[in-house]
């Protein structure tokens, strides 16, 4: 029953023509901490593809960063 998740999924499908993969992973830790401190907060964690995180070989996928930017912009357009 997460309005922000529903909006994010709808925005993703509108942009990319398919359902997003929705999973719970360690990288969402910050959302959980904020939700614990702010009762009633509805939050999602999302971002671009990262590889070899927290190592000297850490890399960021530029195309996935573009998609993430487009998704955030679409979500903001829909929320106005």
């Amino acid at each position: 029953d997460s309005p922000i998740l529903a909006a994010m999924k709808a925005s993703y499908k509108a942009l990319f023509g398919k359902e997003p993969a929705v999973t719970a992973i360690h990288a969402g830790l910050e959302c959980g901490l904020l939700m614990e401190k702010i009762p009633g907060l509805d939050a999602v964690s999302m971002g671009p593809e990262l590889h070899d995180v927290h190592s000297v070989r850490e890399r960021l996928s530029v195309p996935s960063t573009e998609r993430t930017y487009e998704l955030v912009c679409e979500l903001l357009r829909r929320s106005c």
Side-chain angles (χ1 to χ4, degrees):
D1 294 337
S2 168
I4 190 71
L5 178 58
M8 188 70 76
K9 289 170 68 174
S11 296
Y12 186 96
K13 187 164 186 176
L15 281 174
F16 307 117
K18 61 183 180 179
E19 294 291 329
V22 177
T23 58
I25 62 173
H26 172 72
L29 175 67
E30 291 83 359
C31 280
L33 293 172
L34 289 171
M35 292 170 77
E36 187 178 277
K37 300 291 183 190
I38 306 170
L41 178 67
D42 187 25
V44 295
S45 178
M46 48 81 75
E49 294 173 31
L50 299 168
H51 304 276
D52 297 320
V53 177
H54 306 306
S55 79
V56 296
R57 295 181 49 215
E58 184 169 338
R59 299 180 318 281
L60 168 73
S61 165
V62 173
S64 74
T65 302
E66 286 181 24
R67 291 189 301 272
T68 300
Y69 176 78
E70 291 171 11
L71 180 57
V72 170
C73 289
E74 179 66 18
L75 179 63
L76 291 172
R77 271 193 290 277
R78 290 169 173 258
S79 67
C80 294

